[in-house]
Amino acid sequence: MSGRRGQSGNGPSTSWHRRRLAEEAAKREEAERARAAAAEQAQKAAEDARQVAERARRRQRYFSLALLILLVGLWIATWLWEKKYNVDQAILKVQSFFVSIQTEPEMVIVPGGVFRRGDLYGTGGSNEQPVQEVTLKPFALGKYEVTFAEYDRFALATGRTLPSDMDWGRRSRPVINVSWEDAQAYAQWLSEATGKRYRLPTESEWEYAARSGGKDEIWAGTSDERQLKDYAVYRKANRTEEVGSKKPNGLGLYDMSGNVWEWVKDCVHDDYRGAPRDGSAWLEANDGNCDRRVVRGGSWSYGPWDLRVSNRGKGDRHLVNIDAGFRLAQDIP
């Protein structure tokens, strides 16, 4: 009897209890899922917010960078406009902040020798007398006059004002509107940049080389005035021409007569009395006027008489001119 009463009393209660436990477990599981879903949504919302904030910060950085680039670009454009640089010059200027931008001139070896310096034909001025025998050691001389393309690199690298080309063109035309001091500074800069010693030629070196190694020529390359137009840019022209556009003289040097007057190292003297006979520069000795320097070769605006290789011009060392340039020399070790 007692066994049957136990089964009758516990059966329904146990089932109900189990159902209740299952329901509570299901509720807890549902609640857990709800909490997990809420946490996931909160995490997603936070991630979305973070991404929105990151995109906003990125847009701000891009905007700031673009604004900076714009401002720098405007500053550079204004600076280039003030400097009057063209595109090629602007690129070279930027390059000069990071690398050397010089180009070396093509040089011609001039053998040493003996020659007669001065007016050999009696048609020149008193400053070309007396005729003297001069002995020179070998040296090197620029095959061409220094061009705008070469000099502009110096001006850009050192912050100098670019010399005017008179709207004739730059590149391969001989540089003009440069003083003797400008030529000296260019030679020093190129020497420091290359580790080689460049300088202005002496007056004797210049004349010896112009005479094709000491020949008795009136002009560089010829003594026949009818042929002068083949060797020189002179009075019949109305501006400079590109270097090397005429025939070279006997040493392969171009434009030694005409195109532009060429600065040399020497100071101005009234004549050759007391002048060195070893090819060295004649400076203060014998009342030399070193505020003025010698120029040689004549130019595009002068006639045949001024283009003679013995002719000695002069100019203030500080002044520039539309028909004055230079070429470089080097000692040979």
Side-chain angles (χ1 to χ4, degrees):
M1 290 295 289
S2 59
R4 285 195 297 269
R5 285 197 299 267
Q7 290 177 355
S8 172
N10 293 335
S13 175
T14 300
S15 297
W16 175 86
H17 183 65
R18 288 175 179 173
R19 284 195 303 273
R20 185 181 181 87
L21 290 176
E23 290 173 357
E24 290 176 353
K27 290 179 180 180
R28 286 195 300 270
E29 186 176 347
E30 184 176 352
E32 186 64 29
R33 284 197 299 270
R35 284 194 298 270
E40 184 178 354
Q41 289 178 351
Q43 185 177 4
K44 185 176 184 302
E47 178 63 21
D48 290 344
R50 187 191 67 78
Q51 290 180 0
V52 169
E54 179 62 26
R55 285 195 294 270
R57 285 193 295 270
R58 191 179 300 120
R59 284 194 298 270
Q60 182 63 39
R61 286 196 297 268
Y62 290 158
F63 175 78
S64 299
L65 180 60
L67 181 60
L68 177 61
I69 291 173
L70 177 62
L71 292 174
V72 170
L74 288 174
W75 178 83
I76 291 175
T78 302
W79 178 71
L80 293 176
W81 179 81
E82 290 175 348
K83 291 290 187 178
K84 296 181 172 58
Y85 292 158
N86 61 32
V87 174
D88 291 339
Q89 292 163 350
I91 292 172
L92 281 173
K93 181 63 179 179
V94 174
Q95 288 178 344
S96 72
F97 294 125
F98 306 100
V99 296
S100 298
I101 61 172
Q102 77 282 347
T103 56
E104 296 187 54
E106 189 173 350
M107 306 298 286
V108 173
I109 301 299
V110 180
V114 179
F115 83 110
R116 292 188 298 161
R117 176 184 61 197
D119 176 22
L120 305 181
Y121 298 96
T123 58
S126 60
N127 65 343
E128 301 172 39
Q129 297 292 338
V131 174
Q132 297 172 331
E133 192 173 88
V134 179
T135 302
L136 294 98
K137 299 182 295 185
F139 62 98
L141 191 65
K143 187 174 185 177
Y144 308 103
E145 293 158 332
V146 173
T147 65
F148 271 106
E150 294 168 329
Y151 188 90
D152 283 353
R153 291 171 176 262
F154 157 68
L156 292 167
T158 58
R160 287 174 172 255
T161 301
L162 294 171
S164 171
D165 64 355
M166 309 304 294
D167 293 326
W168 299 342
R170 304 182 81 83
R171 297 189 181 275
S172 295
R173 290 182 185 271
V175 66
I176 55 173
N177 289 313
V178 288
S179 68
W180 181 87
E181 291 185 338
D182 291 332
Q184 285 282 95
Y186 175 80
Q188 181 178 350
W189 170 79
L190 189 61
S191 298
E192 293 173 354
T194 62
K196 303 174 183 178
R197 183 173 181 268
Y198 289 96
R199 57 175 175 81
L200 292 178
T202 69
E203 192 174 10
S204 294
E205 288 174 335
W206 190 95
E207 184 172 330
Y208 176 75
R211 291 183 182 277
S212 301
K215 296 179 181 178
D216 295 344
E217 294 177 340
I218 298 177
W219 298 281
T222 184
S223 292
D224 185 347
E225 187 172 342
R226 294 171 298 180
Q227 297 179 356
L228 184 56
K229 66 181 183 303
D230 298 326
Y231 291 89
V233 178
Y234 66 110
R235 187 173 55 194
K236 296 178 182 178
N238 61 1
R239 62 185 62 186
T240 61
E241 293 185 12
E242 291 188 355
V243 298
S245 60
K246 299 292 185 176
K247 289 182 179 180
N249 73 354
L251 291 178
L253 299 167
Y254 291 83
D255 302 308
M256 295 295 284
S257 287
N259 220 1
V260 293
W261 289 97
E262 298 180 15
W263 291 109
V264 295
K265 188 174 182 180
D266 301 52
C267 302
V268 171
H269 295 78
D270 291 336
D271 52 42
Y272 278 131
R273 287 178 293 178
R277 299 194 184 190
D278 61 357
S280 60
W282 197 12
L283 302 177
E284 295 89 350
N286 302 99
D287 299 321
N289 180 358
C290 291
D291 286 331
R292 309 198 79 191
R293 298 288 172 151
V294 176
V295 289
R296 288 297 206 118
S299 80
W300 60 270
S301 63
Y302 284 76
W305 189 87
D306 293 284
L307 272 62
R308 294 174 302 111
V309 292
S310 62
N311 184 36
R312 306 172 75 199
K314 55 191 175 184
D316 190 304
R317 61 183 289 174
H318 306 288
L319 297 183
V320 303
N321 201 289
I322 62 172
D323 57 5
F326 65 99
R327 76 178 70 216
L328 294 178
Q330 274 185 315
D331 295 320
I332 295 179

